[in-house]
Amino acid sequence: DGAHVGYYDDQTDNYLQINNQLILNHRFNDRWALNATAFYTYGYGYYKQYKDDAELAEYVNLDTEIQEADLIREKIMRNHLGGLNASASYTSRALDLNFGGSWSYYTCPHWGELDWVDGMDAGAIGGRWYDNDVDKQDANLFARANWQAAHGLRLFADIQYRYVRYEAWGTNDNYIGQEGMPMQPIDVDKTYHFFNPRAGVSYRLGERNSFFFSFAVAQKEPTRGDFTDRYMFTADYTYPSSEKLYDWELGYQYTAPRLSLGVNFYYMKYKDQLVPTGRINDGYDALNDNVPDSYRRGVELSASWRATGWFTVGANATFSQNRIENYTHRVVDYGLTGDVAGYYGYHTVEMGTTRLSYSPKTIAALFLDFHHKGFEAVFHTQYVSKQYFTNYENPNMMLDAYCVTNLNLAYTFRTRSARSVRLGLMVNNLFNTEYESNGYGWSEAYEGTQTDHAFYFPQAPLNVLANVTVKF
């Protein structure tokens, strides 16, 4: 009737997963134990999308003179994951040891099919408009020790070696329209060797005071989306780097019968951290890019006070700085020639040190917990400060600070036929706050003038969920 709507009734996620596990647990004696698990998981899933006025040239399985038409497309995947985890442990009065390893193999083809194209016969739209496959092997060996060196003094350390082999090939679902290469090619063949150590010490002074310090190195490979969607913001066909983290933590905990207090200082230094750019692919997955140097540092505070046997009040907060160093903001400039997608140039701004996306400076929470006989009530409120969903502190792409309160009520009683019956009521967003907890966007330029596009996910107003739990 000429009216288009922004949704399609049959656009649902359809996914089947079958998990199989064979588990062995064996204790040789009071000190030695063995655990092993063999597993295999099969998965198959798809979803359909309705596209208005789609450019049919972007679907390479069609041979038609029609330029634009409504269509229904399917994106499909079928995966297999199998492997083995095994570990052994030794326990004595002063020493705990744990060591083992794992291996897994994962394969997953992805492809797309068209169910219907307006104006075309069903027999003329067969075949796949993109088709790619992934193989991944992931193996690791580890050893972990926890040693009570002296009264109140505990030393801990662990070490891990991890091997990752990642291969992907075929074509992705992104149309680039180059001569002889209509769809984005995928050709990934990467091998990673990660060495991840961790060490620390904890000291207990008396019955109420404890201190700890730790240092760790962690490394992680890019995800599939980091590889396949990189073309959207890079001028060449390079692939993302793995990321590396150096983490220092220093903390103190005070524990008394009615009061507990905690403070933890942390400094996390990243090399080639994969950070969200603010952009998404057409499946609403976040796009990430490497930044050479970045860090997160801050302090975490916690407190809990049991005022009476039926009332407890607690709070926690994190105050942090989350920064990229020497950051260059780049957006496509359609008024300049260059290498972006073979046509355009970049509009760039040297930002120096700037804030990491989706990283609020302050997160704080307060809870009040009432318990009396079978009745319980928990009042919980959380505050999140403003955050940007890009890395160049653009106020046009910012999530405002918000504070949301939830109330959980419950009453538990016994019956003759049931050990307990619990009636629960969750009142979310008690004060009907209007807020957005997520968003995304991108910028583009023409001859140096930038235009921003921002989208937000508004959260539900006051809503209620009731539940009943029966134990026999």
Side-chain angles (χ1 to χ4, degrees):
D1 60 0
H4 292 289
V5 296
Y7 61 90
Y8 170 53
D9 286 338
D10 205 22
Q11 183 165 332
T12 57
D13 283 322
N14 302 274
Y15 191 72
L16 166 71
Q17 188 175 78
I18 301 174
N19 297 285
N20 306 275
Q21 293 182 335
L22 180 62
I23 301 172
L24 169 66
N25 296 316
H26 181 69
R27 177 167 289 278
F28 297 95
N29 50 46
D30 291 341
R31 296 191 174 187
W32 285 97
L34 174 69
N35 302 284
T37 302
F39 59 91
Y40 167 69
T41 299
Y42 169 80
Y44 172 77
Y46 68 93
Y47 63 89
K48 298 183 180 183
Q49 290 178 313
Y50 188 103
K51 292 293 183 179
D52 298 330
D53 300 328
E55 295 282 349
L56 297 193
E58 299 182 5
Y59 297 87
V60 297
N61 59 326
L62 299 179
D63 184 10
T64 178
E65 298 298 323
I66 304 175
Q67 294 183 351
E68 293 184 352
D70 295 351
L71 57 82
I72 298 172
R73 67 184 192 181
E74 274 190 60
K75 292 188 173 184
I76 309 166
M77 63 179 292
R78 187 189 307 275
N79 56 49
H80 303 270
L81 172 66
L84 175 68
N85 298 322
S87 66
S89 62
Y90 170 83
T91 303
S92 67
R93 187 177 65 178
L95 180 65
D96 294 333
L97 295 176
N98 191 267
F99 50 90
S102 68
W103 172 84
S104 67
Y105 174 75
Y106 174 80
T107 181
C108 182
H110 299 72
W111 71 93
E113 299 177 357
L114 297 177
D115 287 1
W116 169 81
V117 179
D118 193 14
M120 294 186 64
D121 295 332
I125 59 174
R128 299 179 177 183
W129 52 282
Y130 73 94
D131 192 356
N132 63 77
D133 209 339
V134 172
D135 279 356
K136 182 179 182 180
Q137 293 190 62
D138 193 333
N140 75 79
L141 296 172
F142 72 91
R144 182 180 302 118
N146 197 329
W147 178 38
Q148 187 75 44
H151 179 70
L153 178 63
R154 182 172 290 272
L155 306 177
F156 55 91
D158 57 74
I159 187 172
Q160 181 202 57
Y161 165 73
R162 183 163 173 252
Y163 165 85
V164 178
R165 171 74 172 175
Y166 188 92
E167 297 177 89
W169 62 93
T171 57
N172 202 18
D173 57 342
N174 303 306
Y175 179 76
I176 60 177
Q178 295 184 8
E179 185 69 27
M181 192 190 298
M183 305 300 292
Q184 177 206 352
I186 298 176
D187 183 16
V188 183
D189 187 352
K190 303 289 287 185
T191 300
Y192 301 95
H193 300 276
F194 296 137
F195 176 68
N196 299 320
R198 175 175 175 266
V201 56
S202 66
Y203 179 69
R204 189 169 190 86
L205 180 63
E207 295 297 322
R208 298 187 176 184
N209 302 282
S210 60
F211 305 83
F212 70 88
F213 172 77
S214 69
F215 170 74
V217 177
Q219 299 173 85
K220 188 174 77 68
E221 74 280 9
T223 66
R224 177 183 182 275
D226 296 330
F227 284 117
T228 60
D229 295 327
R230 184 175 174 80
Y231 86 103
M232 298 184 71
F233 48 83
T234 186
D236 52 31
Y237 290 102
T238 60
Y239 286 119
S241 302
S242 60
E243 54 184 349
K244 192 171 188 176
L245 164 66
Y246 302 90
D247 179 36
W248 291 264
E249 300 202 21
L250 174 66
Y252 166 75
Q253 185 76 33
Y254 173 82
T255 305
R258 290 182 177 272
L259 177 67
S260 65
L261 302 171
V263 58
N264 181 49
F265 298 92
Y266 65 91
Y267 177 70
M268 306 167 72
K269 177 67 175 177
Y270 292 87
K271 180 65 177 176
D272 294 326
Q273 183 181 184
L274 283 160
V275 301
T277 64
R279 301 185 67 182
I280 59 171
N281 64 16
D282 65 356
Y284 292 92
D285 300 312
L287 299 179
N288 302 313
D289 198 7
N290 290 115
V291 293
D293 297 296
S294 58
Y295 63 86
R296 301 177 186 273
R297 63 189 180 192
V299 57
E300 301 169 327
L301 305 173
S302 63
S304 178
W305 176 47
R306 186 163 62 89
T308 68
W310 51 268
F311 175 58
T312 300
V313 57
N316 56 70
T318 299
F319 304 96
S320 64
Q321 288 183 330
N322 310 279
R323 299 287 188 266
I324 303 174
E325 300 176 278
N326 303 313
Y327 182 67
T328 300
H329 165 58
R330 300 191 304 171
V331 298
V332 176
D333 193 317
Y334 294 100
L336 301 176
T337 57
D339 296 327
V340 184
Y343 299 101
Y344 307 110
Y346 277 119
H347 166 64
T348 62
V349 179
E350 296 296 332
M351 300 292 298
T353 299
T354 187
R355 287 177 59 168
L356 277 162
S357 58
Y358 302 102
S359 300
K361 289 182 178 180
T362 304
I363 300 175
L366 169 71
F367 73 87
L368 307 175
D369 190 342
F370 300 86
H371 281 80
H372 183 64
K373 295 183 178 179
F375 174 77
E376 57 185 288
V378 179
F379 178 91
H380 179 269
T381 186
Q382 183 181 43
Y383 169 81
V384 179
S385 66
K386 73 176 183 180
Q387 52 190 306
Y388 299 95
F389 48 83
T390 61
N391 296 302
Y392 57 100
E393 301 186 31
N394 186 346
N396 296 327
M397 296 186 184
M398 186 183 74
L399 298 170
D400 291 329
Y402 61 88
C403 185
V404 180
T405 300
N406 302 319
L407 177 63
N408 294 338
L409 303 172
Y411 181 70
T412 303
F413 58 92
R414 297 176 179 270
T415 68
R416 291 184 178 179
S417 56
R419 184 157 53 97
S420 68
V421 178
R422 185 180 185 273
L423 307 178
L425 185 69
M426 300 172 59
V427 184
N428 300 312
N429 199 354
L430 180 65
F431 300 121
N432 208 34
T433 302
E434 295 183 354
Y435 72 103
E436 307 87 28
S437 64
N438 205 348
Y440 67 95
W442 66 89
S443 300
E444 58 190 14
Y446 186 82
E447 295 183 348
T449 301
Q450 181 173 303
T451 303
D452 302 319
H453 305 271
F455 301 86
Y456 301 87
F457 294 98
Q459 298 303 297
L462 187 148
N463 59 95
V464 178
L465 177 66
N467 59 84
V468 178
T469 303
V470 181
K471 293 182 179 181
F472 298 97

